[in-house]
Amino acid sequence: MKRIVTLTLNPTVDKSTAVDKIVPDQKLHCEAPKYEPGGGGINVSRALLRLGSASTAVFPAGGPTGDRLQELLRAEGLEPAAVPAAGWTRENFIVVDSSAGQQYRFGMPGTPLTADEQQQVLRALQAQPAPDYLVVSGSLPPGVEPAFLVDIVRWAHSIGAKVVADTSGPALQRVIEAGVYLIKPNVGELSKLAGVPELNSAALAEAARGLIGEGRCEIVVASLGPQGACVVTRDLVDHIPAPAVKKRSTVGAGDSMVAGLVHALAQGQPVREAARLGVACGTAATMNPGTELFKKADVDKLYQWLIDTMPQSRAAA
């Protein structure tokens, strides 16, 4: 069985609620709040567990919110590998306007992670049995420079782990300069990596191929939002459309896609099948409110639909 470790440097407790209508300057009566674990790698670990893959979630945690985060993860069946931090773990806030069917997401910046705490995180990773896949996902908290991720990627290379990177901005740029196995940028992020103002569907595969040819990654899964995803390798270009569903929340959809990809790859599935499972997981996550991620039964149905409607991939020219 392949070992999977996820790393979340800016974890959160996601607090979500709903209100009949959001209006200014009035006291709004909300539904009882729901608390769930959050942060890129943590959501990936949560989603992997629903798919049947075990993983170890490494992250810093501090204060009462850090304690609550660990309790929430244990309640879902995950045993966290938390690194003590002085700053309190952040809390994000999500509100759904029920009358309009609109979602408002308030993301907090997180507390600084000191240089010593960063080294403790690295040591916590090194203390784990060597993973086959290391998923580095989510934003960086204050005090953490992208160079720290480069150190982590180099360590992963030294033990033969495949790095899956799902971050953005300078962090993603530095990580792929060190070379990773798989990245999941959206179109805007991919255009920045390619050094062009924008990308259309025809230029997307070429931009991804450029990164692969430079040795920055082996697989690019470009997220296209409601249009699905495009997976690119040296030998494959395949567009997977997202099945049409009623969307209730987009929180955790990207993390769910990453979990589907990693789960399938760790099971030895071909890249195109992994991409289909990733799209199925990401789409299924949008069917649930708040930060609930996906239901396995929804994933199974959507994945089967993709297999039935798109049995063949398009090989690269």
Side-chain angles (χ1 to χ4, degrees):
M1 180 182 295
K2 301 291 186 182
R3 286 193 52 81
I4 304 169
V5 171
T6 66
L7 174 64
T8 310
L9 291 174
N10 202 17
T12 178
V13 172
D14 285 331
K15 181 179 181 180
S16 60
T17 186
V19 65
D20 287 339
K21 187 176 182 179
I22 295 181
V23 293
D25 303 322
Q26 292 187 26
K27 182 181 289 186
L28 305 178
H29 298 282
C30 301
E31 294 181 1
K34 185 176 183 180
Y35 297 88
E36 292 177 291
I42 285 174
N43 278 338
V44 172
S45 280
R46 295 172 65 208
L48 281 168
L49 185 62
R50 298 182 184 202
L51 294 171
S53 279
S55 67
T56 300
V58 177
F59 57 91
T65 45
D67 293 338
R68 168 166 256 183
L69 174 59
Q70 296 176 68
E71 292 169 0
L72 290 168
L73 287 169
R74 292 190 182 102
E76 291 193 10
L78 287 164
E79 185 57 40
V83 178
W88 285 26
T89 298
R90 65 184 175 136
E91 185 177 271
N92 287 341
F93 189 44
I94 300 99
V95 184
V96 174
D97 182 327
S98 300
S99 64
Q102 295 177 323
Q103 183 186 74
Y104 297 82
R105 301 167 61 178
F106 302 88
M108 307 304 167
T111 53
L113 199 64
T114 68
D116 181 62
E117 289 168 343
Q118 292 173 46
Q119 290 306 306
Q120 291 180 44
V121 169
L122 180 56
R123 287 194 289 272
L125 284 172
Q126 294 169 339
Q128 301 298 320
D132 297 284
Y133 291 88
L134 173 64
V135 181
V136 180
S137 181
S139 61
L140 298 182
V144 178
E145 297 296 329
F148 177 58
L149 292 184
V150 175
D151 293 339
I152 290 172
V153 171
R154 288 173 176 166
W155 164 76
H157 288 167
S158 72
I159 62 170
K162 294 180 176 179
V163 178
V164 175
D166 185 18
T167 184
S168 60
L172 180 58
Q173 182 69 55
R174 290 298 307 275
V175 162
I176 67 169
E177 288 173 2
V180 298
Y181 177 62
L182 184 152
I183 61 173
K184 189 198 68 64
N186 59 34
V187 177
E189 291 164 348
L190 183 57
S191 67
K192 291 178 182 178
L193 294 176
V196 296
E198 60 183 25
L199 290 170
N200 56 32
S201 56
L204 188 149
E206 182 179 352
R209 280 269 183 77
L211 297 177
I212 295 169
E214 293 170 359
R216 299 189 182 192
C217 57
E218 296 181 36
I219 304 170
V220 177
V221 180
S223 175
L224 307 178
Q227 283 72 50
C230 182
V231 57
V232 183
T233 69
R234 288 186 183 274
D235 306 312
L236 179 74
V237 175
D238 198 13
H239 175 253
I240 302 99
V245 299
K246 182 178 180 180
K247 292 181 172 60
R248 295 184 176 180
S249 172
T250 58
V251 177
D255 302 324
S256 295
M257 177 184 281
V258 171
L261 288 163
V262 174
H263 172 77
L265 292 169
Q267 297 293 319
Q269 294 296 314
V271 173
R272 66 186 179 100
E273 303 305 330
R276 280 159 174 69
L277 183 60
V279 169
C281 289
T283 303
T286 69
M287 299 169 64
N288 297 315
T291 57
E292 194 175 331
L293 298 182
F294 58 76
K295 293 181 173 65
K296 179 63 162 52
D298 292 332
V299 170
D300 292 341
K301 291 177 183 177
L302 296 175
Y303 178 67
Q304 190 60 52
W305 181 86
L306 287 168
I307 295 298
D308 292 341
T309 58
M310 296 190 65
Q312 300 296 326
S313 66
R314 294 193 302 275

